[in-house]
Amino acid sequence: MTVTHPVVAEEVALGGGRSPAPPGRPPATDVVGRLTRPLPALLLVGLLAAGWQLMADASGSALIPGLGDVARNLVDIAAGGALWDNVRVTLTRVALGFAAAFVVSVAAGIAMGRSEWLRRFLEPAVLIGLATPGLVKALLCVIWFGVSLLNPILTVALAAAPALTINVAQGVRSVDPALGEMAHVYRLDALTRLRYVWLPAIVPDLFTGARLGIAMAWKVIVLVEIFGLADGVGYQLNLEFSQHNVAGVLAWTVAFALVMAAIEYGLLQTLERRAVRWRRVALR
């Protein structure tokens, strides 16, 4: 039995930290591929924007504002500083809540994946967490914790943890048993096993769970800010709604969507490519 350690495989194959170019593929092709990769997504956004503008022109109603009105509202909130201040507040709450969920979920998921008894013990709680609507979680946390910082952090953690936990548990159960045997033979301590055995093996499942968890976090943080807080993107959405400013609501929605897209494409996908780089190298 030959076990390829992820770190060793990466160091040997990368040759000093630089990934070798795939044979027979000129660098220019790789550059063109990177430049054209966003085109399908941009095409979809363009079609949606054009369809919305056509609908706004056909309706002539203030309830369906045109792209120009939405853009003017977006520029106003950005120029006035409200956009950056409220987005920063919301992102901080999501980051703190997701960090707490990540630590708990990784530990619980690995335990559930390795122990059948713990899986049966924790699985009902995870399933209840998945089935409970985010609105219920947001309302209960507002009732119990009011306007304190614990309110949004706990709400985000409760929303993100179930999806992350179940994906980590599934990833651990799919790990080759030979890796666990190797760790036992070499008497690796718990931290070393976590760093070099379990985490590299469950990276794809970890990122899948993280995406689902963050998606749930975005939804509940807006609800919490609408119901029980005095700042953040959700609060601003509620403020625009109370003033019957549909263009303002859409402007904040677009800004929030842009932030989520930047985190997905600029952060999560970049981290995922780096985290699974050793897998691609080992398969060559």
Side-chain angles (χ1 to χ4, degrees):
M1 177 184 68
T2 303
V3 179
T4 303
H5 194 283
V7 176
V8 175
E10 183 180 9
E11 290 176 352
V12 172
L14 293 181
R18 292 180 300 174
S19 177
R25 185 179 184 184
T29 305
D30 190 38
V31 172
V32 172
R34 291 180 181 179
L35 292 176
T36 57
R37 189 179 302 164
L39 288 181
L42 293 176
L43 178 61
L44 174 62
V45 172
L47 290 174
L48 291 175
W52 179 271
Q53 186 60 47
L54 288 174
M55 186 169 59
D57 292 339
S59 67
S61 171
L63 298 178
I64 308 178
L67 297 180
D69 293 334
V70 176
R72 281 191 292 272
N73 276 267
L74 185 58
V75 170
D76 289 342
I77 61 178
L83 175 62
W84 318 116
D85 292 341
N86 287 279
V87 166
R88 185 183 69 251
V89 169
T90 297
L91 285 179
T92 300
R93 291 165 177 161
V94 170
L96 292 174
F98 184 78
F102 185 86
V103 173
V104 174
S105 297
V106 169
I110 292 177
M112 290 174 64
R114 298 193 62 199
S115 170
E116 181 66 19
W117 190 91
L118 284 175
R119 184 186 71 81
R120 293 179 180 274
F121 177 74
L122 294 175
E123 192 173 57
V126 174
L127 295 178
I128 291 173
L130 286 171
T132 304
L135 177 61
V136 174
K137 297 172 184 175
L139 285 174
L140 290 177
C141 286
V142 169
I143 292 171
W144 290 336
F145 303 106
V147 296
S148 68
L149 182 61
L150 183 61
N151 172 12
I153 293 177
L154 186 57
T155 306
V156 169
L158 289 174
L164 188 54
T165 300
I166 201 167
N167 275 275
V168 171
Q170 290 175 350
V172 170
R173 286 198 295 270
S174 65
V175 171
D176 187 350
L179 291 176
E181 295 174 6
M182 178 200 68
H184 179 72
V185 168
Y186 284 97
R187 298 181 180 180
L188 302 181
D189 58 73
L191 185 59
T192 303
R193 293 188 187 195
L194 178 64
R195 181 179 179 184
Y196 293 113
V197 177
W198 299 116
L199 287 182
I202 65 173
V203 161
D205 302 277
L206 195 61
F207 275 95
T208 300
R211 284 191 175 91
L212 293 173
I214 290 177
M216 294 300 300
W218 292 130
K219 297 175 183 178
V220 298
I221 192 61
V222 170
L223 292 173
V224 170
E225 290 175 345
I226 287 176
F227 292 131
L229 298 175
D231 53 6
V233 174
Y235 172 78
Q236 294 297 328
L237 282 169
N238 191 38
L239 186 62
E240 298 290 352
F241 173 77
S242 65
Q243 296 173 353
H244 305 287
N245 183 9
V246 181
V249 171
L250 291 174
W252 279 103
T253 303
V254 169
F256 200 44
L258 290 175
V259 171
M260 290 187 289
I263 291 175
E264 168 63 27
Y265 293 107
L267 179 62
L268 286 180
Q269 290 193 10
T270 300
L271 290 176
E272 185 175 19
R273 284 194 296 269
R274 291 181 63 85
V276 301
R277 182 175 54 180
W278 69 270
R279 288 173 175 261
R280 296 194 299 269
V281 172
L283 291 174
R284 289 174 184 169

